[in-house]
Amino acid sequence: MDYKHLGYFVAVCIIVFGSVISWWLKMFLTERTILKRISLLEEEK
Amino acid sequence: MNSFNSKRIPNIMAVIIIIMLGAGLKIVVDYSLTVDKEAGYLWAQKIFYYHVPSAWTAFLGYFIVMIAGVQFLRTGNRKWDQIGVASAEFGTFFCLLVLITGPIWGQAAWGQPWTWEPRLLTTLILFLLYIGYFMLRQFGGHYERVARNSAVLGIIAFLDVPIVYLSLKFWSADTQAHPQLGMSEQSSLVLNVFFFNLATFTLLFIYMVWYRIHILKLKQKQLELTHGL
């Protein structure tokens, strides 16, 4: 087996899957923060 | 306004995408053929199954930016601006994946990560155009002006997409380093795996844009509450 080229493929998989998970996590955390702020603002009113 | 993840359809979509990403990886690892049979770099060749669907998704994103830009200029509806921004973000996200996975494949195939050949260069220009788009959105001033100018920029920047796609035909073969293999020349096994990943990435793009638009709406609501609108 050509381990060098296998390494290239594994690197691509880590980059693709890792970045997708990171983006989802970023959106999830952003959404949670905004929802908390909105509920606080609504309580103030 | 509820959390995006408390809605039923996005949840079903997320489960389908996770299953498809996992199944796609399994198929690529276990069953996919090398695209270029004469190439001796089988594993690196499998990068194709992620590289090309990323490019397709980036083009799809930029196409939606262009449509949203036209609609925003026509109607002035803020909804189109939100669709445009969300699509531009994920179009650029996938374009960046293309620019990262391409050089990794290039290192295996060409022995160097980058050559200044037409397709690579036009893709880099496309990416930089959308970096300009985000700079305009960040520093462009008043919202109405930013939305209008970025809609125009989104339409103009899309002109580079057909140039990227047709770059193999536009420039002479001796300037090209990209594989000149047509999809019709591929075996059905290659095509089946490729189209499976293409469908997965398209679904992922729709999900991400939908989620992003939901967040933009939440931000809008927060802004309205803050300023007592």
Side-chain angles (χ1 to χ4, degrees):
Chain A
M1 185 184 282
D2 187 343
Y3 288 105
K4 191 178 156 196
H5 290 158
L6 175 63
Y8 291 142
F9 177 71
V10 171
V12 164
C13 289
I14 291 170
I15 290 163
V16 170
F17 288 89
S19 55
V20 168
I21 292 165
S22 305
W23 265 95
W24 185 87
L25 207 60
K26 183 181 174 284
M27 289 203 290
F28 176 75
L29 294 173
T30 308
E31 183 199 33
R32 209 173 62 161
T33 310
I34 297 172
L35 281 173
K36 272 183 190 168
R37 281 186 197 151
I38 287 175
S39 74
L40 278 172
L41 284 164
E42 281 175 340
E43 273 175 30
E44 276 177 25
K45 287 203 166 184
Chain B
M1 214 176 230
N2 292 328
S3 160
F4 186 72
N5 297 299
S6 65
K7 293 178 182 172
R8 197 173 165 201
I9 297 174
N11 271 341
I12 294 169
M13 231 173 134
V15 171
I16 292 171
I17 291 165
I18 291 167
I19 292 169
M20 284 178 82
L21 278 171
L25 181 62
K26 173 81 178 154
I27 295 166
V28 169
V29 168
D30 286 351
Y31 304 112
S32 69
L33 293 176
T34 174
V35 178
D36 185 353
K37 290 192 179 79
E38 287 170 14
Y41 39 93
L42 174 67
W43 277 103
Q45 192 60 51
K46 287 174 189 266
I47 292 169
F48 159 86
Y49 296 104
Y50 290 99
H51 177 71
V52 182
S54 298
W56 150 258
T57 317
F59 292 168
L60 174 68
Y62 294 148
F63 177 70
I64 295 171
V65 176
M66 190 264 290
I67 297 291
V70 170
Q71 291 289 41
F72 180 79
L73 291 176
R74 212 170 57 84
T75 63
N77 191 333
R78 189 171 278 215
K79 176 184 83 176
W80 290 109
D81 182 52
Q82 289 173 340
I83 293 171
V85 177
S87 299
E89 282 182 11
F90 289 105
T92 309
F93 168 77
F94 283 104
C95 194
L96 184 62
L97 281 184
V98 172
L99 288 172
I100 294 171
T101 57
I104 295 174
W105 176 85
Q107 185 64 41
W110 304 329
Q112 56 181 357
W114 188 269
T115 60
W116 294 101
E117 62 104 42
R119 181 160 279 181
L120 268 70
L121 193 57
T122 47
T123 309
L124 180 64
I125 290 169
L126 184 67
F127 177 72
L128 293 175
L129 280 170
Y130 281 90
I131 294 298
Y133 177 96
F134 294 115
M135 286 170 76
L136 176 68
R137 291 213 67 102
Q138 194 69 31
F139 308 113
H142 187 261
Y143 171 77
E144 295 296 332
R145 199 172 67 185
V146 165
R148 200 175 53 246
N149 290 347
S150 56
V152 173
L153 181 59
I155 295 165
I156 295 169
F158 181 75
L159 293 175
D160 193 30
V161 171
I163 295 175
V164 175
Y165 184 73
L166 296 169
S167 59
L168 292 180
K169 292 190 174 76
F170 277 170
W171 281 273
S172 61
D174 56 328
T175 61
Q176 313 278 350
H178 248 80
Q180 311 236 355
L181 294 166
M183 290 307 286
S184 55
E185 297 164 35
Q186 304 300 331
S187 76
S188 61
L189 190 56
V190 169
L191 290 178
N192 288 344
V193 180
F194 169 71
F195 283 118
F196 184 82
N197 266 8
L198 196 66
T200 308
F201 274 51
T202 307
L203 207 58
L204 177 66
F205 172 80
I206 293 167
Y207 174 85
M208 284 168 127
V209 169
W210 193 5
Y211 201 167
R212 189 72 183 104
I213 291 169
H214 176 78
I215 290 172
L216 288 170
K217 281 180 183 164
L218 284 178
K219 276 188 178 168
Q220 181 63 31
K221 190 181 177 186
Q222 185 198 340
L223 206 68
E224 285 169 5
L225 283 169
T226 309
H227 297 292
L229 296 171

